[in-house]
Amino acid sequence: MTAHTRDPGRSDRVALYSGYRPEVQGLRAVAVLLVVIYHVFVGRVSGGVDIFLLISAFFMTLSFVRKIEGGRRLDIPRYWLHIFRRLLPLASLIIVGTLVLLALFYPDTSIRDFRWQGLASVFYLQNWELASASVDYYAADHSTASPFQHFWSLSVQGQVFLLWPLIFGFAWWVRRRTRISSVPVLAVCFGLIFAASIAYSVVTTETQQAFAYFDTRARLWEFALGSLIALAIPYLNPPRIVRIILGWVGIVSMVSVGVLVDVQGAFPGWIALWPLLSAAAIIVAGNTGSPFGFDRFLSWWPVVKLGDAAYALYLVHWPLLITYLV
């Protein structure tokens, strides 16, 4: 007797969380372009990094739920090995290249201050290094910034890549013992993380904004929101016209946040809900199949390919910008 025969609903539950989402991969491209454009030309926070973090949790959650509901073993150590084997080579290459730029173009005082940040970046601890140094992310003179500063978000992401699989492992264990679907278990877990983290984020941003900006605990709610959207997305099916409107409202809202609101001193508190809910609207809109939907642009193959390269683009843009300013 096969597993499918023993549990007729299993394949249906797996199917709910299956399927390639090219429009979300395209959204990843838009998010990283917002980061680059706002860094280079505007000098303000766009919310693009926050969207990038949400999308990473969204895809990770879909992947793990498919495994759990399909009755497959999670093999979390193997997942950790795979994810860091995929991320570390390019990150290490950029770190080494940045160290070369330091030696060639930066003053000796900067070299002494920044070289240890390269090591912190390798071990995904750069956010805590910046937080402990009370670095001002919004400093007007970017030429004094660290060329490794952008690794703060990758460090937070790496820490979540270690933590989130343990939560999925708990849901897998509960399902094995009780036959309860992992979806409600994960919804409760991520709902609690979201509530606790956003409350902490709001309070800490109000009292220690420079520290809160790099604090993993103040960012967990952004990942939790991405996971909650992933859990809910199979059950959200608004009418086509509503989805078309959601897509356009989402992209206009996403692009406008950095223009309309000076978020200096406000991130990562409640104001970060603006770009994240904008991204959520686009994700819920999904593939409308309409020639008038914004998802048609997001699903266009050059945009999707740019989304595939978003990690590399994010890695390289900041050290080049700071070196140019120096």
Side-chain angles (χ1 to χ4, degrees):
M1 184 179 291
T2 65
H4 177 72
T5 304
R6 289 194 301 269
D7 188 356
R10 172 177 291 176
S11 60
D12 294 335
R13 290 195 298 272
V14 173
L16 286 175
Y17 295 92
S18 299
Y20 180 54
R21 302 291 301 269
E23 74 282 359
V24 182
Q25 190 68 359
L27 180 60
R28 195 195 296 266
V30 173
V32 78
L33 283 177
L34 283 176
V35 173
V36 174
I37 291 170
Y38 274 71
H39 274 164
V40 175
F41 299 107
V42 184
R44 296 172 71 171
V45 171
S46 65
V49 170
D50 307 80
I51 295 167
F52 202 82
L53 300 181
L54 178 141
I55 292 173
S56 68
F58 175 83
F59 279 127
M60 179 168 47
T61 301
L62 289 180
S63 175
F64 271 99
V65 170
R66 286 197 301 270
K67 291 179 182 178
I68 297 171
E69 293 302 315
R72 297 156 56 190
R73 292 187 63 84
L74 298 189
D75 199 354
I76 292 174
R78 185 175 182 179
Y79 168 81
W80 284 333
L81 180 63
H82 168 75
I83 196 71
F84 288 106
R85 188 169 56 188
R86 181 169 63 86
L87 297 177
L88 267 175
L90 182 57
S92 299
L93 178 64
I94 298 300
I95 290 169
V96 171
T98 304
L99 289 171
V100 172
L101 293 176
L102 276 175
L104 292 176
F105 300 111
Y106 288 68
D108 291 341
T109 54
S110 295
I111 295 175
R112 288 195 298 270
D113 291 341
F114 296 151
R115 62 186 176 186
W116 293 111
Q117 293 189 21
L119 185 62
S121 298
V122 170
F123 291 100
Y124 291 87
L125 296 172
Q126 171 69 336
N127 64 310
W128 294 115
E129 174 70 19
L130 296 171
S132 64
S134 299
V135 170
D136 181 8
Y137 189 83
Y138 302 100
D141 184 5
H142 281 323
S143 66
T144 63
S146 165
F148 297 107
Q149 184 168 291
H150 65 315
F151 272 93
W152 76 264
S153 62
L154 300 176
S155 296
V156 172
Q157 191 176 38
Q159 293 158 32
V160 169
F161 284 155
L162 291 175
L163 173 61
W164 251 227
L166 299 179
I167 300 172
F168 294 122
F170 170 72
W172 176 86
W173 179 83
V174 170
R175 191 181 188 283
R176 292 268 296 182
R177 292 292 183 271
T178 66
R179 311 306 300 172
I180 296 175
S181 169
S182 64
V183 175
V185 177
L186 290 171
V188 170
C189 291
F190 291 127
L192 291 174
I193 292 172
F194 176 87
S197 176
I198 196 170
Y200 174 83
S201 181
V202 170
V203 172
T204 311
T205 301
E206 185 70 25
T207 57
Q208 306 176 65
Q209 191 276 329
F211 186 90
Y213 196 91
F214 303 110
D215 189 341
T216 302
R217 296 165 295 183
R219 296 283 182 172
L220 288 178
W221 68 271
E222 299 180 347
F223 292 93
L225 181 59
S227 292
L228 290 171
I229 294 170
L231 295 173
I233 201 72
Y235 305 99
L236 301 176
N237 189 27
R240 188 185 193 190
I241 184 63
V242 174
R243 290 189 286 124
I244 294 172
I245 294 171
L246 276 175
W248 281 105
V249 169
I251 189 60
V252 171
S253 176
M254 182 191 305
V255 173
S256 65
V257 59
V259 176
L260 298 179
V261 179
D262 184 1
V263 298
Q264 181 169 338
F267 264 59
W270 64 269
I271 196 67
L273 280 168
W274 184 336
L276 293 183
L277 292 180
S278 301
I282 295 173
I283 294 173
V284 171
N287 184 1
T288 66
S290 168
F292 305 106
F294 186 70
D295 58 284
R296 186 175 184 182
F297 169 77
L298 293 177
S299 302
W300 187 32
W301 71 265
V303 179
V304 175
K305 288 297 183 183
L306 184 59
D308 295 339
Y311 176 61
L313 181 59
Y314 179 80
L315 276 175
V316 76
H317 90 281
W318 183 258
L320 291 180
L321 170 62
I322 299 305
T323 303
Y324 168 77
L325 294 176
V326 168

